[in-house]
Amino acid sequence: MIRVLLVDDQALVRTGFRLMLNAQPDIEVVAEAADGQEALARSRELRPDVVLMDLHMPVMDGIAATERIVAELPGLKVLALSTFDLDENVVAALRAGAGGFLPKDISPEELVEGVRVVHRGESAVAPRLLTRLIGTFVRATRPRPAPAALPELTDREREVLVLIARGSSNPEIAARLGVSPSTIKNHVTSLFGKTGVRDRAQAVILAYEAGLVSPGE
């Protein structure tokens, strides 16, 4: 069972999500929280597998709560929620360690699949949506270093990072570079280890901030 903590300041929203998730044979909502501070306490107490985290809440917002939870409980996955598709707080949540983000008006099927994807350790943000988000906000919020950044990466690892940032999956990168998917997986693991990023979402942010790709490419 995937054990889920629901975090939203609106009781009606929590009820709707709980009904959607508890209808699945492999998902169980173990608790709810109305703000980030309560979410942190519940996460420490219950150690759920996935926290479904609203970004806009009183007391402690979802970004601060995500950062605290990921730092203290690194095995726990956070899936951020936002009312708007293009929200600068979404990028902040990904920087804080969220494994992905979904808009609140998603279908029940998309919500369930997002929880499962994040639980597997993958990014629950559609690649093209992710690149659109990053392209919109990263350059506006961070200075852009010279393209020679990330000297710790090999040329091939840098090439793989660029393709990740452009929305390519591992099989697509393998086909593009003419190597096996397992080879690409090894490159991804290596570049994640060298740069300290947790997942593909943070890798995309890193690529933009390092000047390896530009919005619109």
Side-chain angles (χ1 to χ4, degrees):
M1 294 290 287
I2 303 173
R3 301 171 68 250
V4 176
L5 169 64
L6 293 180
V7 186
D8 196 290
D9 60 335
Q10 298 184 40
L12 186 60
V13 171
R14 297 198 306 271
T15 298
F17 285 152
R18 184 177 69 247
L19 292 173
M20 293 180 198
L21 296 174
N22 278 343
Q24 305 305 310
D26 59 335
I27 299 176
E28 176 189 11
V29 175
V30 295
E32 300 178 14
D35 58 63
Q37 186 170 301
E38 186 180 0
L40 180 59
R42 289 287 192 172
S43 296
R44 289 167 174 164
E45 174 190 357
L46 300 172
R47 303 295 176 99
D49 300 307
V50 176
V51 177
L52 201 59
M53 180 77 74
D54 183 29
L55 296 185
H56 306 281
M57 296 180 295
V59 184
M60 179 188 294
D61 65 28
I63 296 168
T66 295
E67 189 170 20
R68 294 280 299 276
I69 288 171
V70 171
E72 293 188 25
L73 306 166
L76 194 157
K77 310 297 183 183
V78 177
L79 177 56
L81 296 173
S82 176
T83 304
F84 307 103
D85 282 355
L86 286 177
D87 185 339
E88 58 192 351
N89 288 316
V90 173
V91 174
L94 295 176
R95 284 201 184 104
F101 119 92
L102 296 173
K104 281 190 175 181
D105 60 355
I106 54 171
S107 68
E109 294 79 14
E110 290 171 316
L111 174 68
V112 169
E113 182 59 20
V115 169
R116 289 173 178 152
V117 167
V118 166
H119 181 249
R120 292 198 300 265
E122 301 172 14
S123 173
V125 185
R128 275 69 187 177
L129 178 57
L130 179 59
T131 55
R132 193 178 80 195
L133 279 165
I134 306 305
T136 301
F137 292 108
V138 167
R139 288 188 65 191
T141 57
R142 293 287 181 88
R144 191 174 185 226
L150 307 177
E152 67 273 21
L153 299 183
T154 66
D155 289 342
R156 179 47 60 93
E157 288 167 350
R158 192 176 288 106
E159 190 174 11
V160 169
L161 178 58
V162 168
L163 292 173
I164 289 174
R166 289 175 178 167
S168 299
S169 65
N170 281 5
E172 290 170 339
I173 296 172
R176 172 78 175 268
L177 300 182
V179 299
S180 69
S182 62
T183 297
I184 296 302
K185 184 177 180 181
N186 290 338
H187 285 314
V188 171
T189 299
S190 177
L191 75 87
F192 278 19
K194 289 179 179 179
T195 60
V197 301
R198 300 183 185 92
D199 51 35
R200 297 176 85 87
Q202 290 197 342
V204 173
I205 294 173
L206 175 68
Y208 274 93
E209 291 182 337
L212 297 180
V213 292
S214 300
E217 287 188 357

